[in-house]
Amino acid sequence: MYGSHNGRFDMRGVGVAAAAAALLLAGCTSSGDGDGENHAGSGAGGNPAAIGQQPKGTDPYWVNPDGNAAEQVARYTGDGKEKEAALIRRIARQPVGEWIGTDNPEEEAKGFTEAAEKADREAVLVLYNIPHRDCGQFSKGGAADGDAYRAWLDSVAKGIGDRGATVILEPDAVLHLVDGCTPQEFHEERYDLLKGAVERLGQLPETRVYLDAGNAGWHTPDALFQPLQQAGIGAADGFAVNVSNFQTTAVSKEFGKQLSAKVGNKPFVIDTSRNGNGPYTGGAPEENWCNPPGRALGEPPTTSTGEELVDAYLWIKRPGESDGDCRGGPKAGDWWPEYALGLARGTE
């Protein structure tokens, strides 16, 4: 286990994702420049749990009205738990990354991007299927081999097509080459796959690609810039920092700026989903990344960052989904309403 590990998670069953995509395409999304949510008595037949879109001018990313948090809002509302519903709504009303699964990647990517396009927004997609993923830890897995990964990636690209998408490419993949977690025998293949993924996604006219670059608490820019170059950062739109981690926005900005200067002044995005209280320091360092207590939601997703090099704050990790079966949490990727409530309360 790695003390600065980001705590990844696997996608929910593809059947659920496919069903959600089908519902979205059937017209369950809100469109236009809403005020961030539909209130009781408005929209969706007056459904008080309905979730709308954020104002496009500052947040052009799509809010999934059928995500885990939105479903939890509906359950709490139905049970008369208005305080809990209001807390979870802080999560549900924000756009979050959609982590593409393995069985029907083209269908999922198409469903999410079509739903986003219908709402006049852009989907945020996370691709996390590199072979030998997560070094056998909580989110182990990935494609069986390089050919399987290339086929999967091509399916994702076909699903996106000419619709707008921001893609976060392979969290941890470069970092696990740097920290020794991924065996040396797989390094050359991984660099080749990442570079190929950047090139394939770069062929899509409305897709922006950000290669994951870890977080400020893991490795230094000096240790990262050459591996990122080898992985194809030169052809990417930029890189992503703090994915699934808790480093503050200020620290992440400084880390990103230092790294940017070493990779051609590339812009970057910051995952602010759970960094409102910064990293946890009260436990064993090797466990502080996994479901740490006392954390809070960070800055809402936006492209208005006030920083030329920071393209956006994004919620790449979906708040409320477990990092793994530590600290009483369910398996990686499962929705954990108690933890979600804690994140929302942390912002009060």
Side-chain angles (χ1 to χ4, degrees):
M1 193 60 59
Y2 292 81
S4 298
H5 180 67
N6 277 1
R8 305 302 175 199
F9 53 93
D10 295 318
M11 285 292 294
R12 292 171 293 169
V14 70
V16 175
L23 286 172
L24 292 167
L25 294 179
C28 291
T29 62
S30 299
S31 60
D33 292 334
D35 66 352
E37 57 184 296
N38 293 322
H39 299 279
S42 67
N47 178 5
I51 302 297
Q53 302 297 320
Q54 290 289 338
K56 186 177 180 181
T58 56
D59 187 355
Y61 303 108
W62 175 64
V63 177
N64 185 345
D66 299 306
N68 281 334
E71 292 175 357
Q72 188 68 60
V73 170
R75 286 193 290 270
Y76 279 145
T77 300
D79 292 341
K81 297 181 177 180
E82 297 299 334
K83 183 176 181 179
E84 289 85 353
L87 285 167
I88 298 301
R89 185 180 289 276
R90 296 179 184 178
I91 298 173
R93 68 187 181 186
Q94 300 296 342
V96 297
E98 301 293 347
W99 296 58
I100 301 298
T102 57
D103 291 342
N104 293 298
E106 183 173 351
E107 180 180 354
E108 286 190 35
K110 181 178 180 181
F112 291 133
T113 55
E114 284 190 347
E117 183 178 60
K118 183 175 181 179
D120 192 28
R121 297 300 191 276
E122 180 177 311
V124 177
L125 306 179
V126 187
L127 305 191
Y128 186 51
N129 193 37
I130 203 78
H132 318 293
R133 187 183 68 196
D134 205 37
C135 314
Q137 300 176 100
F138 285 133
S139 296
K140 64 183 178 181
D145 54 33
D147 288 340
Y149 182 78
R150 293 183 186 94
W152 175 82
L153 182 82
D154 193 58
S155 293
V156 172
K158 289 177 180 177
I160 296 172
D162 60 0
R163 290 174 291 277
T166 289
V167 174
I168 309 303
L169 183 61
E170 295 299 339
D172 289 354
V174 172
L175 272 296
H176 279 162
L177 297 175
V178 175
D179 66 14
C181 182
T182 300
Q184 183 67 39
E185 63 195 274
F186 303 130
H187 285 205
E188 183 176 354
E189 177 190 60
R190 178 165 296 184
Y191 280 126
D192 182 67
L193 292 175
L194 291 172
K195 187 174 182 179
V198 170
E199 292 173 350
R200 177 66 181 94
L201 295 168
Q203 296 171 3
L204 304 178
E206 300 298 328
T207 294
R208 290 176 292 176
V209 184
Y210 294 88
L211 183 60
D212 183 65
N215 63 74
W218 201 340
H219 273 280
T220 67
D222 283 343
L224 292 169
F225 77 94
Q226 289 180 331
L228 284 170
Q229 289 171 338
Q230 194 170 345
I233 188 64
D237 292 278
F239 57 91
V241 301
N242 203 48
V243 175
S244 292
N245 209 263
F246 304 87
Q247 300 295 321
T248 67
T249 302
V251 168
S252 296
K253 282 182 184 179
E254 183 59 28
F255 171 76
K257 289 177 181 179
Q258 291 178 17
L259 184 54
S260 174
K262 295 178 178 296
V263 292
N265 294 315
K266 288 284 184 177
F268 56 98
V269 297
I270 301 173
D271 185 354
T272 61
S273 58
R274 306 183 300 175
N275 74 347
N277 285 340
Y280 181 62
T281 60
E286 66 272 14
E287 297 179 353
N288 284 351
W289 61 269
C290 192
N291 299 324
R295 300 309 91 196
L297 302 173
E299 288 89 347
T302 182
T303 53
S304 298
T305 67
E307 297 278 355
E308 183 178 0
L309 285 173
V310 184
D311 279 352
Y313 301 147
L314 301 176
W315 285 11
I316 299 169
K317 164 72 176 183
R318 301 193 288 212
E321 293 187 1
S322 178
D323 292 318
D325 55 359
C326 57
R327 292 192 172 91
K331 69 179 181 180
D334 280 4
W335 173 251
W336 189 6
E338 292 80 10
Y339 198 80
L341 285 169
L343 291 171
R345 289 190 182 106
T347 62
E348 292 182 321

